[in-house]
Amino acid sequence: MPASTAATTAPVVLTAKALLLDMDGTIVNSDAVVERCWRDWAVSHGLDPQEALKVVHGRQGYATMAALLPDRPMEVNRAENAVMLARETADTDGVVPVAGAPEFMAALDGLAHALVTSADAALATARMTAAALPMPDVRVTAESVESSKPHPEGFLKGAAALGVDPADCIVFEDSAAGIAAGQAAGMRVIGVGPRAAAHAPTVHVPDLTTLRVTSTPDGSILVSVSVPEA
């Protein structure tokens, strides 16, 4: 019989002591809400919504505002961000899990992992609930840090909370800012979804369906990733 021409996969296995998970775009698909709210904000400030959406993902809102309106006082950005957070928290229409996220989160039960998100605690709770995903016991939210991604503070705090060296952590991220933050923390990064591909993560996956998470007797976590061969 002729050789099959079907695509095969080359498994990549990464070993870690802990996994650090971004939320939006990584385990929760909240793009509909994010784009709805930030388009309105951009238009109200005379900005091009398409250009604004290029810098929104992965950052805290005040940092996005500072990038788009660099001459505006930071206290104004923080005040407007509080309003934006309240609107986003109340709007869960279209919030769903990323493909494979329910199975992925179930596999993490009992393993060392943390949520590291630019959302505040209320927004994180609203979106994880809307997506029907379990909230990790260890969480680093906007209130926990002084600096937004791409600063590594959030991921470093997540590692410290779990008692794990940064080099033994794997970050799951979807955005340029988040991937840069994980790399700056000295961690390997699995990039999830279309936004991640252009930012040189350690491994890129289209969603979470290609991952398998297992543990070893010594407590290490094995992340097996099926990557299509070229």
Side-chain angles (χ1 to χ4, degrees):
M1 295 179 61
S4 172
T5 59
T8 58
T9 59
V12 174
V13 180
L14 302 178
T15 303
K17 293 295 185 183
L19 307 183
L20 304 180
L21 318 176
D22 173 54
M23 182 180 70
D24 293 308
T26 301
I27 57 176
V28 173
N29 182 347
S30 57
D31 282 1
V33 179
V34 171
E35 294 187 6
R36 195 157 51 236
C37 292
W38 281 95
R39 281 180 186 277
D40 288 350
W41 181 89
V43 169
S44 73
H45 289 81
L47 300 172
D48 181 346
Q50 288 303 115
E51 292 302 312
L53 290 175
K54 291 178 182 179
V55 298
V56 163
H57 297 287
R59 305 171 189 264
Q60 290 193 42
Y62 76 85
T64 294
M65 293 171 183
L68 294 169
L69 298 172
D71 297 326
R72 198 167 72 156
M74 188 58 76
E75 59 266 26
V76 177
N77 295 333
R78 291 188 180 276
E80 278 199 5
N81 185 46
V83 175
M84 179 67 80
L85 284 170
R87 178 181 174 183
E88 290 190 86
T89 301
D91 184 354
T92 56
D93 186 24
V95 174
V96 296
V98 166
E103 297 80 5
F104 174 69
M105 295 300 291
L108 298 188
D109 187 29
L111 304 181
H113 68 288
L115 188 72
V116 181
T117 175
S118 294
D120 66 3
L123 180 56
T125 299
R127 287 186 176 163
M128 292 291 282
T129 300
L133 295 175
M135 179 68 83
D137 292 334
V138 178
R139 302 180 287 275
V140 180
T141 59
E143 302 94 333
S144 309
V145 298
E146 295 294 327
S147 300
S148 172
K149 299 171 186 176
H151 195 282
E153 181 186 3
F155 288 122
L156 293 173
K157 284 197 168 183
L162 293 169
V164 176
D165 188 273
D168 291 326
C169 295
I170 295 174
V171 165
F172 289 76
E173 266 286 1
D174 74 299
S175 69
I179 291 169
Q183 292 170 338
M187 301 173 183
R188 292 156 294 163
V189 180
I190 293 180
V192 180
R195 282 190 292 269
H199 304 292
T202 309
V203 179
H204 174 255
V205 294
D207 53 40
L208 298 171
T209 61
T210 60
L211 301 175
R212 182 168 178 264
V213 178
T214 56
S215 61
T216 65
D218 70 354
S220 294
I221 300 170
L222 303 180
V223 182
S224 179
V225 184
S226 296
V227 180
E229 289 186 343

